[in-house]
Each structure stands twice: as structure tokens, then as C-alpha cells.
């Protein structure tokens, strides 16, 4: 069994095993002609049920064969140009290389004595990101598992900075289309059920700053504490970017912490064409960035950045077994002092490899391509009488719905769109997402693959229309 431990005597086994796995995945990627096979839970579950985990196969090739059967064959492939559903990107090769290196060396980024250079690499990337945002000389931050954790940590710092004992008094303002992790965080932070105030959005799904000002005023009048305003720079559904400069002004006026949730829009930090769309982000107290969304990084890769490094002390605890207080005076860099996690992956290495091989402009150019594609897609949808499209994209999503000329019942149109999404998924020809707008069911393309073309968009729209028409035809038959 010792031959399975990765060490100086097993390097040949390591090389062979990993190469065999890489060969499989490479062959799979080359052969995928659809983003999904359409496999159902009922198809797949019995194959897993049949596997006895207490009866190992022992042989790597046999295990990879089995994996083919229970996972690889039927996985959802984000690299396929017709995967258009959620905020998942195809990944860049330098980052995948980074992933292979980081898991083999297995550094843990909690302390210097578990990582050494890894800590310095992460710190340099935090500084790089903070500088791109423009957070100023006192900025800092830390890598996290994702936007959800980044938002939680940012709001923890905001809560502590209020120095308010009575948590029931705290209010967090976020637009009605902000991410649900804001509400989850509020709950985890012990705030009351009324704590998160949903601020209405305008026609373009951007926070209405007049409404925000009104809510902040109401909060002050009621003797409550405006703990934070969460501005979303790229909403999950619409990619809409809240008016950051105006929100920054209101935060200053009312003494609220400004958090920018740029989990999605952070790609603009590297953009060559659209960086101005997030102007004002430099005025934030904290920023969430998800490199695993718009920097083409494998899951997970995310960070929370803060304007004032000192605020990270609210996440600092010392333990004799890990990061004793004396290490601070000895100036030993222990990232755990800034993190909600303890043992923590060296995810930063993926971004490091990416920037060293491709450069930031290389990443920015890819993100610009998908933003341009979304703009083209919007034109196609706006000109197509079969569809209603919601907002002109600021990033790379399109929210739309099939609207048959002959049908007026909105509930029937809802059902046709829901059916089309399901039928498309079952066919595996394409994967699209769905959401609700003003109570009605819509479909969504999240475009993060520069390999997707306008021809793909046209083809998928035709498939959607075809499935929806089929549903309506059958429902007509049922009615007769
Ligand atoms: C995806 C997303 C999140 C959550 O990020 P995870 O990495 O999935 O945890 C938060 N905010 C916004 C706007 C998002 O799009």
C-alpha cells in the first residue's frame, strides 16, 4: 500500500497514474460533441449503487474505466460551446497545470510553515488584484473558496466595524437582484430576519440609488444602523452593474460599509475594452472577486479584498498549535490570521500560472470576447419576434423568453419555456439556465466561452423555439 504514497520512491507510479488520467480527460475533451449526454438520475444512480466501496478494484486503469461509466461519459462539459447555462467558464491550461502542481505539493496556506513561497505568491496576487481595483496603499485580502465565503467575510468585517452590540439594529442594503449569499451571510452573522433590505432596481436591473437614499434615510430616522451596502458588479442573472460612484457617495454620507460583490464582473479588471464599466469600484471598503467565473480558472478560486488591512483583524484568532501571537511580532506571514478557513488550498497558484503564461491582457481579451458575443446575441434576440429579451447586457448574460404569437396566456408561455429548457437538457444538445422576471419564467444564456459563436446562439434559439412549439402543439392536442 505504501506504493500509493507520493514520495521520492513512487515518482514513476505518480507520473504514470496522472498521465493516464490526463490522457483519458484529453481524449474525452476531444471527443465530446455535446455538452451533456442527457443522462437521468434514474439511469445513473443504479450504476453507482452497484459499486461496493469496500471492494476496491486496486488497478488504476480499471478504476478509470469505472469512472468513465459513472462520471466522465455523462458529465456536464463546460468547455463545449453550447454549454450556456451557469457562471461556469471553460478553464485555461496554465491554471489546470497549476492545479496539478498544487495538489501534488499540497501546500496549505494557513501558515508560513506549511507553505513558504506559496504564502508570498498568494500575497502578491492579492496585492495585484487590489491594485487593479485601485484600493490604495493599505489594501489587503485573502483567497477564499468562492464568492459566498468572500461575501460572508466582507459582511463579518462590516458588522464588526459598526461596533454595535444590538445585532437586531443592523441593516444591510442590497438590490432585489443581488446574490442570495447576502441573505445567507446575514443569517450566519446573527442579524435579524429583517436585516437585508431589498432595494428596487431600474429597467436595466441596476440598483435605484434614489431608492437606496430613501432606505438609508428611513434607517437613520428609525435609529437603526446601516451596516453595509452591497453593490453588485455583475448580477448573476443580468450581469447588471449597480451605479458604483453614486452608491459610494451614499455610503460615505450615511457611514455605511461599501461592499462590491464583483464575483462575476471582476473579469473587467483585466478587460482591455470595458474596464470603465466598473469605475467606482476603487471606492469600496471590500470587494468579492471570483476568478473561477470570469478569469477562466478552475473551481475554486476567489478572493476578498479590503481597503484597510487592519479590518481583517476581525477574523484573527491565535492558537499555540498553529499561529501563536508572538509570530506577529516576529513578522512571520500567516495567512490564517486573515481567513475564515484554517487548512486552505493554494488556489492562488492557478492564477499565478495563468498570469505568468498568458498575462492579464490575455485573460481580459477572452472576457471581452464573451461580452462582445453577448452584445451580438442581444441584437439577434431583439430582432427576433419569437423572443422577448430583458436587458441589453453589460457583461455576458442574456435573459429571454419564447413568446409564440398565437398564445396569449402567460402561464402557458411559462410552461412552454420551462418545457423547452428541460427538453434541451434531456437532449444534451445544449444546456441553458432559467430564472424568473416579474413572476414569469425566462431562459438564460451565460456566455463565458469564447469558442461559442453567434451561429451557436442562433442554433440554440432555434432548438428552444422548436421544443416550445412542440409543447404548445401537444398541449393544443390535449385541449381538443
Ligand atoms: C456566483 C456569485 C456569488 C457566489 O459565488 P460562489 O463562488 O458560487 O460561492 C456571489 N455573488 C454573485 C453576484 C455571483 O454571481
Amino acid at each position: 500500500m505504501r506504493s500509493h504514497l507520493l514520495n521520492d520512491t513512487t515518482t514513476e507510479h505518480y507520473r504514470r497514474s496522472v498521465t493516464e488520467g490526463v490522457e483519458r480527460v484529453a481524449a474525452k475533451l476531444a471527443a465530446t460533441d455535446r455538452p451533456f449526454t442527457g443522462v437521468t438520475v434514474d439511469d445513473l444512480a443504479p450504476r453507482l449503487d452497484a459499486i461496493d466501496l469496500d471492494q476496491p478494484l486496486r488497478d488504476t486503469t480499471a478504476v478509470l474505466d469505472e469512472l468513465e461509466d459513472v462520471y466522465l461519459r455523462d458529465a456536464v462539459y463546460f468547455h463545449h460551446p453550447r454549454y450556456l447555462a451557469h457562471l461556469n467558464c471553460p478553464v485555461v491550461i496554465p491554471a489546470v497545470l497549476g492545479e496539478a502542481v498544487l495538489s501534488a505539493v499540497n501546500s496549505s496556506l494557513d501558515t508560513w510553515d506549511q507553505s513558504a513561497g506559496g504564502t508570498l505568491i498568494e500575497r502578491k496576487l492579492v496585492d495585484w488584484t487590489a491594485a487593479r481595483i485601485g484600493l490604495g496603499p493599505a489594501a489587503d485580502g485573502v483567497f477564499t473558496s468562492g464568492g459566498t465565503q468572500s461575501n460572508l467575510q466582507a459582511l463579518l468585517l462590516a458588522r464588526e466595524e459598526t461596533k454595535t452590540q444590538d445585532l437586531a439594529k443592523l441593516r444591510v442594503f442590497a438590490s432585489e437582484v443581488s446574490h442570495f449569499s447576502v441573505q445567507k451571510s446575514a443569517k450566519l452573522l446573527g442579524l435579524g430576519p429583517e436585516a437585508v433590505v431589498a432595494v428596487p432596481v431600474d429597467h436595466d436591473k441596476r440598483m435605484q440609488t434614489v431608492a437606496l437614499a430613501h432606505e438609508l434615510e428611513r434607517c437613520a430616522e428609525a435609529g437603526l444602523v446601516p451596516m453595509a451596502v452591497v453593490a453588485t458588479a455583475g448580477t448573476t442573472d443580468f450581469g447588471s452593474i449597480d451605479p458604483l460612484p453614486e452608491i459610494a457617495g451614499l455610503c460615505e454620507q450615511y457611514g455605511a460599509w461599501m461592499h462590491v460583490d464583483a464575483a462575476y464582473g471582476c473579469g473587467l479588471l483585466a478587460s482591455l475594452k470595458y474596464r470603465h464599466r466598473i469605475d467606482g469600484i476603487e471606492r469600496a471598503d471590500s470587494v468579492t472577486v471570483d476568478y473561477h467565473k470570469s478569469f477562466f480558472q478552475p473551481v475554486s478560486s476567489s478572493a476578498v479584498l479590503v481597503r484597510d488591512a487592519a479590518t481583517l483583524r476581525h477574523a484573527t484568532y491565535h492558537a499555540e498549535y498553529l499561529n501563536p501571537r508572538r509570530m506577529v511580532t516576529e513578522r512571520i506571514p500567516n495567512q490564517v490570521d486573515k481567513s475564515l478557513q484554517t487548512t486552505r488550498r493554494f488556489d492562488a497558484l492557478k492564477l499565478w500560472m495563468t498570469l505568468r503564461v498568458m498575462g492579464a491582457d490575455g485573460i481580459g481579451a477572452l472576457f471581452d470576447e464573451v461580452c462582445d458575443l453577448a452584445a451580438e446575441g442581444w441584437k439577434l434576440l431583439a430582432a427576433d419576434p419569437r423572443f422577448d429579451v430583458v436587458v441589453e447586457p453589460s457583461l455576458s448574460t442574456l435573459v429571454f423568453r419564447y413568446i409564440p404569437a398565437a398564445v396569449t396566456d402567460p402561464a402557458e408561455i411559462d410552461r412552454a419555456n420551462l418545457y423547452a429548457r428541460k427538453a434541451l437538457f434531456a437532449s444534451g444538445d445544449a444546456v441553458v439556465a432559467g430564472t424568473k422576471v416579474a413572476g414569469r419564467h425566462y431562459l438564460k444564456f451565460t456566455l463565458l466561452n469564447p469558442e461559442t459563436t453567434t451561429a451557436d446562439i442562433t442554433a440554440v434559439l432555434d432548438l428552444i423555439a422548436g421544443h416550445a412549439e412542440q409543447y404548445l402543439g401537444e398541449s393544443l392536442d390535449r385541449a381538443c
Side-chain angles (χ1 to χ4, degrees):
M1 283 303 126
R2 289 199 185 188
S3 67
H4 293 294
L5 293 172
L6 178 52
N7 61 32
D8 57 339
T9 66
T10 57
T11 52
E12 201 40 46
H13 180 190
Y14 161 61
R15 214 175 265 132
R16 261 189 289 110
S17 285
V18 175
T19 305
E20 197 176 341
V22 169
E23 294 291 358
R24 293 268 181 154
V25 176
K28 190 92 251 164
L29 295 176
T32 357
D33 56 358
R34 292 180 298 169
F36 184 48
T37 59
V39 74
T40 64
V41 181
D42 288 342
D43 292 337
L44 209 43
R47 285 189 242 155
L48 279 137
D49 287 345
I51 293 173
D52 182 350
L53 289 177
D54 294 319
Q55 298 290 331
L57 295 173
R58 307 212 182 271
D59 173 65
T60 306
T61 307
V63 171
L64 285 169
D65 288 343
E66 181 184 84
L67 193 68
E68 171 72 20
D69 197 41
V70 297
Y71 173 58
L72 289 174
R73 181 187 308 132
D74 298 299
V76 178
Y77 283 99
F78 301 156
H79 74 285
H80 194 280
R82 294 196 182 175
Y83 176 82
L84 309 171
H86 301 284
L87 275 164
N88 313 107
C89 49
V91 294
V92 290
I93 294 167
V96 177
L97 171 59
E99 187 77 64
V101 173
L102 74 93
S103 61
V105 181
N106 198 30
S107 295
S108 180
L109 273 272
D110 36 347
T111 55
W112 168 256
D113 74 354
Q114 300 176 71
S115 60
T119 286
L120 301 183
I121 285 178
E122 172 168 313
R123 287 188 160 205
K124 202 169 162 80
L125 288 166
V126 163
D127 291 347
W128 178 86
T129 307
R132 286 247 161 191
I133 296 169
L135 285 178
D140 198 2
V142 71
F143 273 63
T144 68
S145 60
T148 302
Q149 189 190 148
S150 295
N151 284 347
L152 173 63
Q153 179 160 0
L155 291 174
L156 167 71
L157 306 185
R159 186 192 73 182
E160 296 300 292
E161 286 292 304
T162 65
K163 301 180 185 71
T164 304
Q165 300 297 325
D166 185 358
L167 299 186
K169 284 196 162 167
L170 300 179
R171 290 293 177 273
V172 175
F173 304 85
S175 96
E176 57 182 319
V177 291
S178 62
H179 195 262
F180 71 1
S181 54
V182 176
Q183 280 150 295
K184 264 195 200 182
S185 300
K187 186 166 194 172
L188 286 164
L189 292 170
L191 310 193
E194 314 286 298
V196 181
V197 178
V199 183
V201 290
D202 64 14
H203 183 73
D204 292 325
K205 306 292 177 191
R206 293 153 40 99
M207 186 190 281
Q208 289 186 28
T209 45
V210 173
L212 175 63
H214 176 73
E215 290 294 350
L216 284 165
E217 193 54 43
R218 266 181 26 140
C219 175
E221 278 167 11
L224 301 170
V225 180
M227 175 183 128
V229 177
V230 178
T232 312
T235 59
T236 313
D237 271 345
F238 308 100
S240 48
I241 298 168
D242 289 340
L244 303 177
E246 289 87 340
I247 291 172
L250 286 167
C251 285
E252 270 164 31
Q253 190 182 336
Y254 288 90
W257 177 282
M258 180 179 177
H259 176 62
V260 177
D261 178 357
Y264 174 17
C266 62
L268 294 188
L269 294 171
S271 168
L272 307 172
K273 290 163 74 177
Y274 304 120
R275 170 62 177 81
H276 60 274
R277 290 183 181 171
I278 46 168
D279 281 354
I281 194 172
E282 70 285 352
R283 293 171 69 184
D285 292 296
S286 57
V287 179
T288 288
V289 296
D290 259 358
Y291 307 106
H292 62 219
K293 283 181 181 163
S294 46
F295 272 72
F296 305 93
Q297 299 295 294
V299 178
S300 14
S301 182
S302 178
V304 61
L305 292 310
V306 295
R307 155 176 312 287
D308 177 4
T311 59
L312 290 169
R313 73 184 180 284
H314 300 305
T316 310
Y317 285 80
H318 291 286
E320 284 305 319
Y321 50 73
L322 190 67
N323 58 337
R325 202 177 291 277
R326 68 167 188 283
M327 288 185 172
V328 177
T329 35
E330 289 169 23
R331 300 188 54 238
I332 295 168
N334 289 330
Q335 292 291 84
V336 72
D337 295 356
K338 309 173 187 178
S339 176
L340 300 185
Q341 292 168 265
T342 308
T343 306
R344 194 162 52 83
R345 290 166 55 82
F346 182 22
D347 286 317
L349 182 62
K350 296 179 283 193
L351 181 59
W352 178 269
M353 298 297 281
T354 303
L355 293 181
R356 298 310 292 146
V357 174
M358 299 171 60
D361 288 355
I363 287 294
L366 292 178
F367 193 57
D368 285 348
E369 279 190 57
V370 295
C371 292
D372 289 339
L373 178 68
E376 287 300 313
W378 186 81
K379 282 186 209 152
L380 289 174
L381 277 161
D384 191 333
R386 296 173 301 172
F387 295 99
D388 168 39
V389 59
V390 182
V391 285
E392 201 169 344
S394 316
L395 294 174
S396 65
T397 63
L398 294 166
V399 178
F400 60 93
R401 115 194 198 107
Y402 176 73
I403 41 161
V407 183
T408 48
D409 176 11
E412 183 70 349
I413 301 177
D414 276 351
R415 287 189 288 273
N417 280 280
L418 285 171
Y419 175 87
R421 179 183 176 194
K422 263 195 182 166
L424 197 60
F425 189 65
S427 75
D429 292 331
V431 186
V432 305
T435 192
K436 268 190 169 181
V437 181
R440 304 264 60 117
H441 286 283
Y442 277 72
L443 302 172
K444 176 168 77 161
F445 289 163
T446 306
L447 303 169
L448 279 177
N449 191 343
E451 296 287 315
T452 303
T453 61
T454 49
D456 288 311
I457 291 180
T458 308
V460 176
L461 289 175
D462 287 345
L463 288 170
I464 288 168
H467 288 301
E469 275 153 26
Q470 189 196 349
Y471 171 84
L472 292 167
E474 283 168 13
S475 113
L476 208 61
D477 290 348
R478 278 194 298 275
C480 295

